[in-house]
Amino acid sequence: MQYIDAKTLKQWLHSTQELAVLDVREHGQYGESHLFLATSSPFSRLEGEITRLVPRKDVKIVLYDDDGQDICLQAAKALDAIGYSNLFILDGGTKGWSDAGFTLFAGVNLPSKTFGELIEHHFQTPRITATALMEKIQSSEDVIILDGRPQNEFKKMSIPGATCCPNGELSYRIQSIVRNSNTPIVINCAGRTRSIIGAQTLINLGIRNPVFALENGTQGWYLEDFPLEHGKSHPYPQAKVDDQWLANIAALANRFQVPIISDAQFNEWAREMDRSLYLCDVRTAEEFKQKALPGAQHTPGGQLIQATDQFIGVRNARIVLYDSDGARAITVGSWLKQMGHDVAVLKDGIESKVSLPQIVGANLTGAHILTDSELVSAHADGNTLFLDLRSSMQYRKGHIPGAVWTIRPHLLKAIQGHKGPIVCIAEDHIVAQGAYAQLATNGQNPQIYLCKNNLFPEPLDIIATPMVPPDSECIDYLFFVHDRHDGNKEAARRYLEWETGLVAQLDEQEKNMFSIA
């Protein structure tokens, strides 16, 4: 393992070379304080997600935690064991970074959210307050309200009368929504970023309607004591793209210099061993499930803009987008280009013949996966240690009696003194794989129970422990954004203040990474 200091890492971050900077702490720790350009890659999920985030095994990777010691070293050994060969550790971790005079940021998806604030400032994106929109609704004024978030977020809460149309789908579906070019269109999200990006997307595409971002989204609506709808769900609007609209999209590609590449060009890039290459399908989940290109990652377009760091782990990598006709891919590409990414669109889209190696997911080879009846029997024998690896909040809501909540960084401590069988309870294969690998390295051979939808077999009594584990141990949970959508107005205000204050925290190098035009 090689250690590097903070000043060296800062230079690497702003060079043109490929680099992955991985925060291997758990999600809650990451969200409280991290490097602006870091990718969250929790140790508990590391092996199951690394090939999706970092496909090239010889790319330069810098790992960090709080101090550059225990978890970093374990993570480095785990990556080395699966073939990653160019590993560095940030000396002193986040403390070393801060001691060198560099800023640590709270929150998640920092580059994307900061980008949204910069876009609003640069383009002076029109906005409308919650009060002004409510007046339009109450006066029965003709207005189209579009929610730029995916269905699962829309279902949790939405503006009355809004239609769910994620930002990545706007260019593909807006023509089927708009009947009159004089009708105002309002784009909202839960906070600010997707409201701004959605509104500016339609403006950039040359739509004739007046377009506005709803200031502060559903949180701003709630802060004005206006009612929100809950549990609402409906299909996305129909697709409609005519020749004139395709011409508008082509103009967008030209304006932001988004390359449209052939299969031959893609294949040439795929043969280059010194560059990382991502193949991203920006269509809906249903379309991706029906047909996708081999080796592609599903990256729904609006979310790829909103949370780029959740899909792309290597800075300065090549990103190739595709869809069915170019409308969505070009629109998403225009934003990624302004975010400073090397992006292109596949000319033949879903009809292309290109491929990449399949993304390797979680591997539980050698582990015994318990059935429901086997879990019940193991619980009855009294000798088995049950380690509940689901999220701390799910454990609080309900777990089987005697099960101990833990997480991969604390696994070895959790099994100290236990000589009998071990059963690991997990929500998914990725967490189960991480725990299995950790215990196997320690000479253990745990059994695995995959708790689908957090439901246990009926014969087992389930108990709730609202304060166990205590907050101080819930390193997987980000309290920073806690309650802002669940009736806590002060949490909503703090979040909006954080979001609008992001740009002021940037240094000049961080500001210059964007290419807004």
Side-chain angles (χ1 to χ4, degrees):
M1 297 315 147
Q2 305 173 73
Y3 280 85
I4 62 163
D5 61 27
K7 290 184 179 179
T8 300
L9 176 55
K10 183 65 172 173
Q11 292 172 353
W12 287 1
L13 277 169
H14 299 290
S15 74
T16 58
Q17 294 184 345
E18 289 193 3
L19 175 69
V21 179
L22 306 182
D23 187 320
V24 295
R25 301 170 301 164
E26 298 306 310
H27 181 70
Q29 297 169 307
Y30 165 84
E32 290 293 341
S33 179
H34 64 273
L35 279 63
F36 183 70
L37 293 173
T39 296
S40 178
S41 188
F43 184 45
S44 60
R45 306 181 67 84
L46 187 62
E47 295 94 331
E49 294 192 337
I50 189 65
T51 57
R52 178 181 64 81
L53 288 170
V54 185
R56 185 162 67 88
K57 290 193 172 181
D58 60 350
V59 74
K60 188 184 293 182
I61 299 175
V62 178
L63 308 174
Y64 76 84
D65 55 16
D66 287 328
D67 57 12
Q69 296 299 318
D70 183 41
I71 300 304
C72 258
L73 290 170
Q74 292 184 64
K77 289 177 182 177
L79 292 180
D80 177 71
I82 57 176
Y84 285 87
S85 59
N86 198 5
L87 301 170
F88 298 81
I89 292 175
L90 174 60
D91 194 11
T94 54
K95 185 178 185 304
W97 184 259
S98 181
D99 287 348
F102 302 127
T103 302
L104 292 168
F105 292 78
V108 297
N109 310 133
L110 265 296
S112 298
K113 290 180 182 291
T114 306
F115 177 68
E117 297 300 314
L118 290 168
I119 287 298
E120 182 187 49
H121 177 76
H122 181 84
F123 289 109
Q124 295 295 297
T125 306
R127 59 186 174 185
I128 187 171
T129 65
T131 300
L133 178 57
M134 176 57 91
E135 289 174 355
K136 288 180 179 294
I137 294 171
Q138 290 177 334
S139 64
S140 300
E141 184 175 333
D142 186 21
V143 60
I144 297 170
I145 306 171
L146 299 178
D147 193 312
R149 302 170 300 156
Q151 285 279 8
N152 62 319
E153 294 184 55
F154 178 79
K155 189 173 183 179
K156 183 170 183 179
M157 71 280 183
S158 60
I159 305 295
T163 297
C164 182
C165 186
N167 286 345
E169 298 294 314
L170 281 173
S171 60
Y172 192 52
R173 303 178 190 274
I174 191 66
Q175 285 196 302
S176 71
I177 300 169
V178 174
R179 299 284 188 270
N180 185 325
S181 62
N182 294 319
T183 303
I185 301 173
V186 177
I187 309 291
N188 80 270
C189 65
R192 295 178 52 79
T193 309
R194 284 171 287 188
S195 301
I196 296 165
I197 296 297
Q200 195 61 48
T201 291
L202 293 179
I203 294 168
N204 288 354
L205 283 165
I207 198 165
R208 289 182 290 173
N209 298 66
V211 180
F212 303 91
L214 177 60
E215 187 174 17
N216 299 330
T218 58
Q219 288 178 92
W221 190 263
Y222 162 69
L223 288 171
E224 294 295 337
D225 292 319
F226 298 146
L228 289 164
E229 294 185 338
H230 302 278
K232 189 176 175 182
S233 179
H234 55 69
Y236 293 149
Q238 290 295 312
K240 182 181 179 183
V241 181
D242 62 22
D243 290 343
Q244 180 56 56
W245 194 243
L246 282 175
N248 288 15
I249 291 164
L252 193 72
N254 184 61
R255 173 183 172 185
F256 294 105
Q257 298 182 324
V258 179
I260 313 298
I261 65 166
S262 65
D263 285 11
Q265 178 65 77
F266 181 93
N267 290 330
E268 182 179 330
W269 286 348
R271 288 191 291 269
E272 295 182 13
M273 294 295 100
D274 61 344
R275 290 293 305 274
S276 300
L277 181 61
Y278 295 85
L279 181 58
C280 296
D281 188 322
V282 300
R283 301 172 302 154
T284 65
E286 293 77 14
E287 290 172 284
F288 180 78
K289 186 177 181 180
Q290 185 177 21
K291 180 182 179 182
L293 299 180
Q297 179 183 181
H298 182 227
T299 57
Q303 294 307 96
L304 183 56
I305 302 165
Q306 167 74 5
T308 314
D309 55 333
Q310 291 182 9
F311 302 102
I312 309 296
V314 180
R315 286 188 52 71
N316 300 317
R318 285 194 179 112
I319 304 169
V320 176
L321 314 177
Y322 75 87
D323 62 8
S324 53
D325 60 4
R328 289 171 284 184
I330 289 171
T331 306
V332 173
S334 73
W335 289 120
L336 294 185
K337 191 74 181 292
Q338 293 177 83
M339 290 174 72
H341 294 289
D342 185 353
V343 64
V345 169
L346 202 55
K347 179 182 178 182
D348 293 333
I350 189 59
E351 301 305 322
S352 170
K353 305 303 180 185
V354 306
S355 65
L356 285 178
Q358 293 287 348
I359 296 170
V360 178
N363 181 5
L364 283 169
T365 302
H368 178 68
I369 311 298
L370 293 177
T371 64
D372 286 356
S373 60
E374 288 175 327
L375 178 71
V376 173
S377 297
H379 191 259
D381 72 16
N383 297 317
T384 301
L385 172 63
F386 290 88
L387 301 176
D388 197 323
L389 301 161
R390 298 174 304 143
S391 73
S392 54
M393 297 301 116
Q394 287 295 344
Y395 178 90
R396 284 181 174 185
K397 289 178 182 178
H399 56 271
I400 62 177
V404 176
W405 183 80
T406 191
I407 198 165
R408 187 178 183 182
H410 300 157
L411 266 178
L412 299 186
K413 181 179 178 181
I415 66 170
Q416 280 183 353
H418 181 74
K419 303 298 182 182
I422 297 172
V423 170
C424 292
I425 299 168
E427 294 173 80
D428 58 46
H429 283 78
I430 294 176
V431 170
Q433 179 194 19
Y436 184 79
Q438 191 71 8
L439 292 174
T441 301
N442 195 56
Q444 309 288 333
N445 186 27
Q447 297 175 313
I448 305 295
Y449 179 75
L450 295 172
C451 186
K452 298 176 182 178
N453 300 316
N454 292 296
L455 297 175
F456 289 97
E458 287 187 6
L460 295 175
D461 292 327
I462 304 303
I463 59 175
T465 53
M467 297 308 297
V468 178
D471 289 357
S472 60
E473 294 181 14
C474 298
I475 59 176
D476 64 320
Y477 187 73
L478 183 52
F479 289 94
F480 172 75
V481 296
H482 184 49
D483 285 351
R484 65 188 176 102
H485 297 314
D486 297 309
N488 187 329
K489 287 190 174 182
E490 183 55 34
R493 290 189 188 97
R494 285 198 306 268
Y495 179 85
L496 293 169
E497 288 172 2
W498 163 79
E499 202 163 16
T500 54
L502 285 171
V503 174
Q505 298 182 65
L506 300 182
D507 61 31
E508 285 305 309
Q509 288 178 304
E510 289 160 344
K511 289 179 183 176
N512 291 336
M513 62 173 274
F514 300 105
S515 302
I516 299 172

